[in-house]
């Protein structure tokens, strides 16, 4: 005959509250996310509402009625296709040029020893502290002297050298083993062959981060195109969006922000597809 055992309650798990430091960090991240994403969400919300609704007081974060007519007006008022092609050509060539030149310069500073390399690298880094507004006048004079004024090449050529990309690729190459170069040299490979056949393929994550950052920056660049380009057929997308404001800012705010939303899509796609390389490049560059 079996004896029934009394049923005992299982111990309940206590709800663990986060520590004060963890709660403070979580609160800070929430506030930072709202501060960063808030304007973006407001831009998207305003682009989907009627123009008259944009001036309601108090303002409504969620549109009372979704209206996509502002997006149709963007394609009506400006030549979006031409502007996108100009921006895509400029940003793609700049990103590709920066990837190649940064890899070459970073490899030289990381793997080759020559007199004055430290001073030269310090001068390269010093250029990062000079704002573009200081150099725009001499750059414009050089471009005009070369006969490239009011052309897309005026936007591409001065932007190909990159001090930050050189620094990033130097740090990346310093993390790669130097035995590869010695082994390739023993097999008879010269400096160019060692770089292009051995180290350049290994530096793909670092080059990816240079290209992604260059694309996102120059896709949204406004100041240099405003100064170096005059004719509308050479306008990039940020310059074309300005015309949506109308004379003395009388244009529809919904149409303007609809154009802004459309301009963010290519940069967002590039970031989403390249975020893995961006994360790997940042980790590898900071590991030294």
């Amino acid at each position: 005959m079996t004896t029934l055992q009394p049923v005992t309650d299982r111990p309940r798990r206590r709800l663990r509250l986060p520590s004060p430091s963890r709660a403070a960090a979580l609160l800070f991240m929430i506030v930072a996310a709202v501060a960063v994403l808030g304007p973006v969400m407001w831009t998207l919300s305003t682009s989907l509402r009627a123009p008259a609704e944009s001036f309601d007081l108090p303002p409504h974060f969620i549109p009372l009625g979704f209206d996509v007519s502002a997006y149709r007006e963007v394609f009506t008022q400006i030549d979006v296709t031409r502007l996108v092609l100009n921006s895509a050509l400029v940003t793609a060539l700049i990103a590709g040029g920066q990837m190649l030149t940064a890899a070459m310069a970073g490899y030289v500073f990381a793997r080759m020893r020559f007199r004055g390399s430290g001073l030269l690298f310090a001068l390269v880094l010093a250029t990062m502290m000079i704002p573009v507004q200081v150099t725009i006048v001499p750059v414009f004079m050089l471009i005009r002297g070369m006969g490239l004024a009011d052309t897309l090449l005026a936007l591409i050529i001065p932007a190909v050298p990159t001090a930050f990309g050189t620094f990033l690729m130097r740090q990346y190459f310093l993390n790669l083993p130097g035995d590869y170069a010695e082994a390739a040299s023993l097999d008879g490979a010269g400096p160019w062959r060692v770089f292009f056949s051995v180290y350049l393929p290994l530096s793909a994550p670092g080059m990816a981060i240079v290209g992604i950052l260059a694309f996102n920056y120059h896709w949204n660049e406004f100041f240099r195109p405003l100064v170096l380009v005059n004719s509308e057929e050479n306008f990039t997308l940020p310059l074309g969006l300005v015309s949506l404001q109308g004379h003395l800012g009388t244009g529809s705010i919904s149409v303007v922000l609809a154009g802004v939303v459309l301009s963010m899509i290519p940069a967002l796609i590039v970031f989403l597809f390249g975020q893995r390389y961006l994360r790997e490049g940042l980790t590898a560059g900071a590991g030294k």
Side-chain angles (χ1 to χ4, degrees):
M1 183 176 181
T2 58
T3 304
L4 298 179
Q5 300 292 333
V7 179
T8 58
D9 295 336
R10 294 182 180 179
R12 297 181 179 179
R13 294 182 179 179
R14 294 183 178 180
L15 181 61
R16 295 182 178 179
L17 298 177
S19 61
S21 59
R22 188 180 183 86
L26 180 61
L27 179 61
F28 173 78
M29 288 188 292
I30 293 175
V31 173
V34 171
V36 173
L37 297 179
V40 178
M41 298 306 297
W42 180 260
T43 300
L44 179 61
S45 173
T46 306
S47 68
L48 292 173
R49 71 180 74 207
E53 188 182 339
S54 303
F55 300 98
D56 289 347
L57 291 176
H60 304 282
F61 189 84
I62 300 178
L64 299 179
F66 289 92
D67 185 4
V68 297
S69 61
Y71 290 89
R72 293 195 296 267
E73 285 295 323
V74 173
F75 289 89
T76 302
Q77 297 184 20
I78 61 176
D79 190 354
V80 178
T81 303
R82 175 176 53 80
L83 295 173
V84 170
L85 289 177
N86 288 344
S87 292
L89 178 62
V90 170
T91 52
L93 291 179
I94 291 177
Q98 287 194 3
M99 292 168 63
L100 181 59
T101 57
M104 296 175 66
Y107 177 78
V108 169
F109 285 120
R111 294 298 175 188
M112 296 185 177
R113 297 292 180 264
F114 55 92
R115 182 177 299 179
S117 61
L119 177 60
L120 183 60
F121 183 66
L123 292 176
V124 172
L125 295 183
T127 61
M128 297 174 58
M129 296 183 291
I130 303 176
V132 65
Q133 290 80 5
V134 175
T135 61
I136 191 64
V137 173
V139 168
F140 176 78
M141 295 178 65
L142 289 174
I143 290 297
R144 187 178 60 179
M146 297 170 61
L148 299 177
D150 196 18
T151 63
L152 295 181
L153 288 176
L155 304 176
I156 298 171
I157 295 178
V160 169
T162 166
F164 175 76
T166 301
F167 167 76
L168 181 66
M169 293 306 300
R170 175 182 177 271
Q171 297 302 113
Y172 193 88
F173 283 119
L174 287 176
N175 287 280
L176 296 179
D179 299 338
Y180 297 156
E182 297 178 2
S185 299
L186 292 176
D187 290 339
W192 286 99
R193 182 66 180 275
V194 172
F195 171 70
F196 282 104
S197 300
V198 178
Y199 283 98
L200 189 62
L202 296 175
S203 65
M207 294 176 63
I209 182 175
V210 174
I212 294 171
L213 294 178
F215 185 92
N216 288 335
Y217 176 79
H218 291 284
W219 179 267
N220 301 312
E221 190 178 21
F222 179 79
F223 178 71
R224 287 195 320 117
L226 180 64
V227 177
L228 301 177
V229 175
N230 298 323
S231 57
E232 293 186 1
E233 59 269 15
N234 293 325
F235 276 6
T236 56
L237 188 57
L239 287 181
L241 294 179
V242 175
S243 61
L244 296 175
Q245 296 180 357
H247 181 65
L248 298 179
T250 57
S252 171
I253 185 63
S254 298
V255 176
V256 174
L257 295 184
V260 173
V261 172
L262 292 175
S263 69
M264 292 190 298
I265 295 177
L268 180 61
I269 294 175
V270 170
F271 175 78
L272 290 177
F273 280 95
Q275 60 179 339
R276 180 172 65 88
Y277 297 100
L278 184 66
R279 183 174 59 254
E280 292 178 358
L282 285 173
T283 304
K288 186 71 175 178

